[in-house]
Amino acid sequence: MNGAILILSSSNKIPLIEVLRETVPQMKLIGGDVSSEVLSQYFVDEFWKMPYLQNMECEDFILYCKQQNIRYVIPTREGELEHFARWKPLLNQEGIQIMISPLEGILYTSDKILFAQKLIANGYPAISTSHTFNDLHTECFVIKERFGAGSKNLYIKVMSKDLETFSKKLIDPIFQPYIEGTEYSVDVYVMQNGRAKGAVVRERIFVVNGESQITEIAKKPRLEILAMQVAETLNLSGHIMFQIIEDLEGNPHIIECNARFGGASTLSVKAGLDSFNWFIKEADGGSLENLSFDPVQRPLKQIRYAKDLIL
């Protein structure tokens, strides 16, 4: 294990950087972001103020990685996944491994209509998703953008009379029925051979702007199995995160999938989902088949809070 790790869109993702420090303490961490004002620059070994993706060729990215001895790349933002999925074959040829799914899987997860259609066609309990609210037989709706992270421009518990007002605020709005229940995040690691290594379920107890501020490990074997099966069906790989609601009758409804490491996914690493070590081991040509997945059995709760760093 040698070479540096590049964290894309490092932004203010300090918990992710810290868990990487604990997981692979011997490796150099480089943060990359288009802004020079991000907090992450104070927590990495080196910082790269990156050009915008539309202004950068794959050859330029490869050149930087080689100059910095970067062998592993970790995307963290929804908007960069399709871009780097297209570059993945070229990066791999140059000995640069990136923790990202094949392009086909990224296209399914980034389009919420396509995602729901694919899952329903395969018999999975995906939440009904439509371009128009007339297709949904409910009085209370969720409105969100068709593409991108679901927490951006998200409106919940919208009544029929207000649908037109809220939908005009979005670029490409889609509609889902509002379902009363408990919301879970399920982190899954899928090996390069397409098989899921393991899953950890987190209950989202307190959410702000789509990010879990308080989350705790939940024992939900049914949701673990469901998420692993869906990840394999969609041909995903690396660290994946699903959002699932369990309604008041205990029925699961798959809302969406983020094909990347999530904001509160650090708790799943603490719970035994060793995604970063597994990714690096596979990137170096190793196999995970004989490695056991032993999730932590004791209760774990994560509270995300602001903290000062004095330099």
Side-chain angles (χ1 to χ4, degrees), residues 69-213:
N69 194 28
I70 293 168
R71 291 192 54 210
Y72 316 100
V73 181
I74 299 173
T76 68
R77 183 175 63 87
E78 199 72 23
E80 66 198 4
L81 296 182
E82 181 179 340
H83 199 100
F84 280 98
R86 294 184 186 278
W87 284 6
K88 182 176 182 177
L90 294 173
L91 297 179
N92 289 350
Q93 288 176 16
E94 299 294 334
I96 303 165
Q97 305 297 322
I98 183 166
M99 190 165 71
I100 199 168
S101 297
L103 179 60
E104 179 188 18
I106 296 297
L107 295 177
Y108 274 123
T109 58
S110 63
D111 183 335
K112 296 178 183 62
I113 297 260
L114 197 61
F115 176 73
Q117 290 174 344
K118 175 72 171 178
L119 265 59
I120 291 171
N122 281 273
Y124 293 116
I127 196 166
S128 298
T129 304
S130 176
H131 273 304
T132 170
F133 56 85
N134 295 323
D135 295 340
L136 305 176
H137 305 290
T138 183
E139 296 181 353
C140 197
F141 297 81
V142 173
I143 311 176
K144 61 180 71 169
E145 291 286 5
R146 178 176 179 178
F147 300 95
S151 60
K152 300 296 176 63
N153 297 323
L154 171 68
Y155 302 100
I156 62 173
K157 300 182 75 171
V158 180
M159 304 307 293
S160 299
K161 62 182 179 64
D162 300 316
L163 287 173
E164 186 174 352
T165 300
F166 283 101
S167 61
K168 286 181 178 178
K169 298 180 180 182
L170 279 70
I171 299 171
D172 190 358
I174 53 103
F175 302 88
Q176 296 172 334
Y178 173 75
I179 296 176
E180 198 75 49
T182 305
E183 188 174 354
Y184 297 96
S185 294
V186 187
D187 290 299
V188 180
Y189 186 85
V190 185
M191 299 181 289
Q192 289 183 2
N193 63 9
R195 292 172 48 205
K197 180 67 179 175
V200 170
V201 179
R202 299 181 280 110
E203 182 178 349
R204 292 156 61 88
I205 296 174
F206 180 56
V207 179
V208 178
N209 296 326
E211 291 281 358
S212 298
Q213 299 301 301

